[in-house]
Each structure stands twice: as C-alpha cells, then as structure tokens.
C-alpha cells in the first residue's frame, strides 16, 4: 500500500488521450489471488474512440470480476461509464460540480464489499392464450440500496377476469429466495401511457446498445426499428428529434425562429423558439447526423427549432491534500490500521508533543496505541458529518486496538476527551 501511495504522488494528469482497452487486457490477463475476488475500479474524465470494444472486453471477463466506474467532470462519456459498469455487473458514479470524489468512491466500495443479489431470474405465467415478450434485460446482480425496473409486453387475447403470475428467483448469501406477484388483465379506463413510454424507452436503449458503428445491414434494420418505436411511442431516441407542430394545421412549423427568454432555476436564462401559439412535440427521424456533444454543455442541440443553451461550466472541487484535515489523517494511517505518534498527527490535533504525552495514560507503553485512540476520537468528535468517507478507516483502527493487550479503554477515553475537548463514548467508538 505504501508503494502504491508513493507512486500516485508522482503521477500527473498529462498522459494524453484516454486509453483503457490495453490496461484492461493486461489486468484480465493476470490470475486472481485465491480467495480474493477481483474488484475493478475505473476512473476517467473523458471518452474513448473504441467504446464498444472496451465494453465487450469487460463483458467477456465478467465472470471473474466486478467493474465499478467513475465519470469525472462534464466531459466523461456516459455510454462508457454506464456500459462498463453494466457489463461488469458493477456500479457507476458521476463526479461533477462540487461533489466530493471520496464519498462517491466509498459508496461504490461498500457495494464491492457487501454480498449482492445474484442468479436473478424472472419467470412469467400468463393466462391461457397469452404470451409474454420481455422488453428489459434481467440484471445479473443487484446491490443493497439499488432497484431495478423490468418491462415485459403481454401479447394475445384472454378473458379480462383472468389472472397471471410472475415469479422472481434470486440468491443472497448462498441462500435461494422466491417471490411471486399476481396481476389482472382488466383494462383501466384511466390508465395513462407513461408506463408504455418508459417501456418503449427501455426497449430502444437495449437496441441502441447493440448497434455497432461501421457494420452493414444489421445496424440499418436496428435503426429502422428504433425510429419506428420512437415515432409511435413519441419517445426520443438517438435517431429521432423533437420538432414543433402546429396543432391546428397538424403541420411542422416553418419560417424564421422567434427567440423567447424564459427564466429557469439554475441558469441565467433558457432560450426556446416557437412559431405558433399552440404547439405539440412529436418525435421525428433526424434528417442529418446529430452533432457531437458540445464541451461544457449539459444539453445538446437536437434540431434547428431550439436555440443553443447557454454554456454550463462546472468545476470539480479538487481539494489539495494539505488543506483537507480528513484526507491528511487518512494518509497518515498505517496499513495495519494504526497511527504513529508523529508531528503531522499532532498538527491535526492542534497540540504539541508535550501536551499529547502528558495526557497519555501511564498504562499505555506503545505510543501508537495512544495515537490511534486519539485519531478515532478526532474522527467521531469533529468529523461525524463525513462518516461515510472514513467509516472503513475507523473499522480498521478499532480492529487493531482490540488486538492490543493490557489496554484500559475507559482510561484512554477520559484522557483523550480531555485532551481534544470532545465528548465521545465507548459505544460510539465500537469499543
């Protein structure tokens, strides 16, 4: 770990373009250590020209690892970040604006360390005369705190009073579970099309993921099917765009654009143009190839009926290590979970070496025990609002302290609270 930390300190963000495929192949070409499942964390602030190949490489090796991805900043490729995580049955995170990267990483680390739901299968038992066509792909894994929505299409004819059944099978901690739900077929007169459109979006997303740039024949048929579904369901896709329609004449609005500025929370203004008082939006096939995403923009211009959104710039809050006390404390922790009683640690506590040693109980013979106890008190007493970031750090320290013999936690607690000026109990410290 120390070698890795020292290596990171010498790195600079000047490696040129984003190259992910070669490092992935190098990683996958090495055998995993027995008893240690491979957990792959990928950080990137850009995009690659071979997204499909990268995702396919992760999917090919998905049986031997889980892949967790992090997109940093507005320029990170959504398709790459989500695609790799999905192919590697992992989890993705985006770090933008003033997000703290540490919090996002720790969230994914929790997913990597906890048991997950696996061997998921959804079985349909429709009434006679009907069949079920799955629209969504059943996930390979679901982590704690996550949810997944699956869509399916019922086809055929059956009595409206008939009842169908869907059964879900899955495994958690080597134990198999089963859940069932029954559903009726009676038509709801007040049913809206929201669920149908969400299902159409899910179906198109699956088709878009299968498209391969440069292939012949197959891609055109997929594109044609996507356009058909998009225009029928009125849900936008990668091959369609919304245009303004005059509802009275049922015609696309022609003529020069008229710009109107509408106040919008989060932006100075948003421009929208129209040519008629009454309009509706309709998904139509794009006549020209879509423009690539513009840098520093949240929204992409889709067609000439929309004027360009103002640039939205978001700077990632990269706090230098020397100005973040929490990161400083973490960097001083040893690999076994302890801390040494060194100058950097006492500077964090705003105490002199003399003050720290005067308060150390005489029963403690190892200064590292005292330093580790103080570090735990400092975390709980002054950084409880960032517990999600340092929780694993504290667990490791507690495990190390419990392994020490002839230690009186109560004496250490009282002396430590007096020295640091906090009020923490042993229950809070898990001691």
């Amino acid at each position: 770990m120390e070698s890795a930390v020292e290596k990171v300190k010498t790195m600079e963000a000047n490696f040129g373009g984003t190259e992910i495929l070669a490092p992935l192949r190098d990683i996958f070409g090495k055998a995993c250590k027995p008893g240690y499942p491979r957990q792959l964390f990928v950080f990137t602030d850009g995009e690659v020209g071979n997204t499909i190949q990268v995702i396919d490489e992760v999917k090919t090796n998905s049986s031997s690892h889980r892949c967790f991805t992090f997109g940093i900043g507005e320029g990170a490729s959504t398709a790459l970040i989500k695609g790799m995580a999905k192919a590697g049955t992992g989890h993705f995170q985006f770090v933008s604006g003033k997000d703290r990267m540490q919090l996002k990483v720790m969230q994914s680390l929790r997913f990597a360390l906890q048991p997950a739901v696996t061997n998921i299968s959804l079985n349909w038992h429709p009434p006679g005369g009907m069949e079920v066509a799955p629209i969504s792909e059943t996930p390979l894994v679901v982590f704690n705190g996550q949810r997944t929505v699956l869509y399916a299409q019922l086809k055929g004819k059956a009595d409206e009073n008939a009842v169908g059944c869907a059964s879900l099978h899955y495994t958690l901690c080597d134990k198999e579970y089963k859940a069932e739900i029954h559903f009726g077929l009676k038509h709801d007169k007040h049913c809206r099309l929201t669920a149908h459109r969400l299902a159409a979006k899910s179906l198109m997303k699956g088709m878009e993921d299968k498209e391969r740039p440069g292939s012949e024949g197959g891609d055109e048929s997929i594109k044609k099917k996507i356009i058909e579904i998009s225009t029928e369901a009125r849900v936008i896709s990668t091959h369609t765009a919304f245009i303004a329609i005059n509802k009275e004449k049922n015609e696309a609005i022609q003529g020069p654009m008229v710009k109107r500025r509408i106040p919008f929370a989060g932006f100075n203004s948003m421009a929208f143009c129209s040519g008629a008082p009454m309009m509706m939006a309709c998904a139509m096939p794009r006549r020209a190839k879509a423009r690539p995403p513009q840098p520093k923009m949240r929204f992409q211009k889709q067609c000439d009926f929309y004027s360009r959104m103002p640039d939205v710039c978001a700077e990632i809050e990269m706090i230098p290590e020397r100005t973040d006390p929490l990161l400083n404390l973490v960097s001083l922790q040893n690999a076994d979970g302890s801390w040494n009683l060194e100058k950097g640690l006492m500077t964090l506590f705003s105490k002199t070496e003399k003050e720290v040693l005067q308060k150390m109980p005489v029963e403690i013979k190892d200064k590292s025990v005292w330093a580790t106890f103080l570090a735990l008190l400092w975390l709980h007493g002054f950084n409880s609002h960032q517990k999600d970031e340092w929780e694993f750090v504290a667990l490791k320290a507690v495990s190390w302290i419990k392994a020490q013999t002839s230690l009186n936690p109560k004496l250490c607690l009282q002396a430590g609270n007096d020295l640091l000026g906090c009020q923490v109990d042993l229950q809070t410290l898990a001691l």
Side-chain angles (χ1 to χ4, degrees):
M1 189 188 74
E2 292 173 357
S3 298
V5 171
E6 290 303 316
K7 176 66 176 177
V8 170
K9 289 179 180 179
T10 65
M11 290 181 178
E12 295 181 3
N14 58 355
F15 301 118
T18 303
E19 297 290 342
I20 294 181
L21 187 58
L24 283 180
R25 288 175 174 169
D26 182 70
I27 292 170
F28 295 144
K30 298 175 181 177
C32 298
K33 293 184 178 180
Y36 292 87
R38 175 174 285 153
Q39 311 278 9
L40 180 64
F41 284 64
V42 179
F43 298 78
T44 177
D45 64 349
E47 55 184 337
V48 297
N50 55 348
T51 299
I52 299 299
Q53 290 87 341
V54 171
I55 294 174
D56 286 345
E57 187 71 22
V58 173
K59 192 169 186 178
T60 300
N61 296 274
S62 60
S63 61
S64 63
H65 84 292
R66 281 195 291 186
C67 182
F68 298 83
T69 56
F70 302 83
I72 306 171
E74 302 295 332
S77 169
T78 302
L80 180 68
I81 299 302
K82 291 185 176 181
M84 291 182 67
K86 181 180 179 181
T89 62
H91 183 64
F92 64 86
Q93 297 269 20
F94 286 95
V95 185
S96 60
K98 293 185 178 181
D99 293 340
R100 283 181 63 86
M101 186 185 297
Q102 293 85 353
L103 178 60
K104 299 292 183 76
V105 173
M106 296 308 293
Q107 288 174 347
S108 290
L109 183 58
R110 286 188 183 88
F111 289 145
L113 297 178
Q114 70 183 224
V117 174
T118 57
N119 300 326
I120 305 168
S121 64
L122 180 61
N123 302 312
W124 294 88
H125 310 283
M130 298 199 73
E131 62 178 10
V132 176
I135 291 177
S136 305
E137 184 178 347
T138 304
L140 298 176
V141 61
V142 177
F143 298 107
N144 184 30
Q146 284 187 311
R147 67 183 180 93
T148 185
V149 180
L150 303 178
Y151 297 97
Q153 185 178 18
L154 293 172
K155 298 180 178 181
K157 292 183 179 181
D159 185 353
E160 66 174 14
N161 295 320
V163 176
C165 175
S167 60
L168 180 68
H169 300 258
Y170 58 94
T171 302
L172 178 62
C173 296
D174 298 324
K175 186 176 180 180
E176 295 185 358
Y177 293 88
K178 177 183 178 181
E180 288 187 346
I181 185 172
H182 294 81
F183 57 90
L185 299 177
K186 190 173 183 179
H187 178 66
D188 186 356
K189 296 181 179 179
H190 303 288
C191 178
R192 298 186 177 183
L193 296 176
T194 303
H196 299 76
R197 285 171 174 156
L198 289 172
K201 184 67 175 177
S202 176
L203 179 60
M204 290 188 297
K205 181 63 173 66
M207 292 181 176
E208 291 168 356
D209 291 340
K210 295 178 182 178
E211 288 187 287
R212 292 292 189 270
S215 62
E216 298 181 0
D219 253 20
E220 285 300 319
S221 62
I222 294 176
K223 178 180 177 180
K224 183 178 179 181
K225 187 64 177 177
I226 291 175
I227 292 175
E228 180 183 336
I229 297 172
S230 178
T231 53
E232 182 179 346
R234 294 186 178 181
V235 177
I236 199 167
S237 71
T238 55
H239 301 296
T240 54
F242 285 116
I243 65 171
I245 301 293
N246 187 317
K247 293 180 64 175
E248 295 178 352
K249 299 180 180 180
N250 195 29
E251 296 177 352
I253 296 174
Q254 304 292 334
M257 295 186 296
V258 178
K259 182 180 293 186
R260 300 177 185 174
R261 296 202 173 275
I262 305 172
F264 188 73
F267 300 89
N268 293 329
S269 63
M270 181 174 70
F272 179 81
C273 56
S274 65
M278 298 181 63
M279 296 185 304
M280 62 180 291
C282 179
M284 297 290 288
R286 290 180 180 167
R287 297 181 180 179
K289 185 177 180 181
R291 292 174 56 191
Q294 301 298 311
K296 297 184 180 179
M297 289 186 65
R298 289 187 183 276
F299 299 95
Q300 178 181 338
K301 181 179 177 183
Q302 298 291 350
C303 65
D304 290 337
F305 288 97
Y306 291 84
S307 63
R308 188 175 183 272
M309 295 289 292
D311 285 354
V312 181
C313 304
E315 296 294 334
I316 302 175
E317 186 181 26
M318 301 298 289
I319 304 175
E321 186 175 333
R322 63 180 180 275
T323 64
D324 191 325
L326 177 58
L327 293 185
N328 275 341
L329 182 78
V330 174
S331 68
L332 293 174
Q333 188 181 34
N334 298 317
D336 60 5
S338 67
W339 276 271
N340 298 326
L341 194 60
E342 56 184 284
K343 183 178 179 181
L345 191 65
M346 290 181 284
T347 300
L348 283 174
F349 300 154
S350 299
K351 302 295 179 182
T352 63
E353 182 178 5
K354 182 179 179 180
E355 290 175 315
V356 173
L357 292 177
Q358 281 181 343
K359 283 291 184 178
M360 185 176 73
V362 295
E363 293 84 358
I364 297 179
K365 306 303 180 183
D366 186 354
K367 294 181 180 179
S368 294
V369 174
W370 180 230
T372 304
F373 205 96
L374 291 177
L376 278 176
L377 283 176
W378 186 83
L379 287 172
H380 285 279
F382 303 103
N383 294 270
S384 58
H385 60 290
Q386 292 179 288
K387 187 176 181 180
D388 288 340
E389 297 184 29
W390 54 258
E391 187 175 10
F392 287 142
V393 172
L395 287 174
K396 198 172 186 180
V398 168
S399 177
W400 184 84
I401 288 179
K402 287 182 176 180
Q404 309 307 308
T405 57
S406 303
L407 176 66
N408 190 331
K410 291 185 178 180
L411 287 177
C412 292
L413 179 70
Q414 183 177 352
N417 278 332
D418 290 343
L419 175 65
L420 300 180
C422 55
Q423 296 179 343
V424 181
D425 54 40
L426 290 178
Q427 185 177 359
T428 302
L429 295 178
L431 289 171

